[in-house]
Amino acid sequence: RRLYDLYAEAHTPFDWFPALFDHAREIGITCFASVFDRSSVDMLEQLDCPAYKIASMEIVDTPLIRQAASTNKPLIISTGMASMREIMDADAAVGMTHAAAFLHCTSEYPATPARAGLCGIGKLASMLPNREIGISDHTVGPIVPIAATALGGAIIEKHIRMNGDQSAEDASF
């Protein structure tokens, strides 16, 4: 399959977001979303989105990162397969005065705990001493997020599914 076809099938339609944000506010949940292009930042700004996630595949899109940072909302950036230079370029695009967190991420779906590369948390903390560090976890179970917290991770992104639902494209991880 082509990734374009997968994303066309699995993306969240823009017209769902107003109801999602309204419902989250009604039940006291902070709702925010990943942005993949200028139009997604613009759409989410209309909903007063409180923060933005930059997915690991978008870490090299520094114009997108600069646009999201220009909203003055916090950013959470997954590092995925990014090189040290790409991570530093993303950090520069955010700007030193802007709130941002970087998540160690192994782009393997699902990843095993042995392949989670938790030493990456310490490397990120050394590279980005003025940023919050965390993990975007693609393993099954709670062990990796617990270990990440013990290693100083301040944010955990965990992929979940509801009630054993296997219908989604990403259900296996």
Side-chain angles (χ1 to χ4, degrees):
R1 284 179 81 177
R2 294 179 328 158
L3 284 177
Y4 178 85
D5 297 328
L6 174 64
Y7 297 148
E9 183 179 325
H11 79 282
T12 305
F14 276 17
D15 60 349
W16 290 15
F17 280 89
L20 290 169
F21 273 69
D22 287 345
H23 184 67
R25 286 183 183 113
E26 286 172 15
I27 63 173
I29 293 175
T30 301
C31 185
F32 63 96
S34 295
V35 292
F36 295 93
D37 59 20
R38 297 184 70 84
S39 66
S40 53
V41 175
D42 293 341
M43 180 271 298
L44 290 166
E45 272 299 284
Q46 292 177 7
L47 299 173
D48 196 25
C49 187
Y52 294 100
K53 169 76 189 309
I54 305 293
S56 58
M57 67 183 136
E58 304 305 325
I59 194 170
V60 296
D61 189 346
T62 53
L64 175 64
I65 294 170
R66 280 193 291 275
Q67 181 193 9
S70 75
T71 68
N72 294 317
K73 311 267 179 74
L75 304 182
I76 300 173
I77 302 172
S78 285
T79 57
M81 296 180 287
S83 68
M84 290 172 144
R85 176 79 266 152
E86 290 166 339
I87 294 168
M88 297 309 289
D89 288 347
D91 185 51
V94 170
M96 287 310 299
T97 61
H98 192 82
F102 284 77
L103 305 183
H104 168 68
C105 176
T106 300
S107 293
E108 189 173 311
Y109 305 90
T112 63
R115 304 263 308 162
L118 289 174
C119 61
I121 292 172
K123 289 178 186 175
L124 274 178
S126 294
M127 288 172 56
L128 304 165
N130 297 318
R131 301 290 189 194
E132 292 288 342
I133 303 300
I135 188 164
S136 176
D137 179 39
H138 302 145
T139 64
V140 176
I143 293 172
V144 168
I146 292 168
T149 302
L151 293 170
I155 296 173
I156 297 168
E157 176 188 52
K158 182 71 173 168
H159 296 247
I160 61 170
R161 58 186 156 89
M162 302 303 288
N163 299 325
D165 181 10
Q166 292 293 324
S167 64
E169 290 295 326
D170 59 356
S172 68
F173 60 89

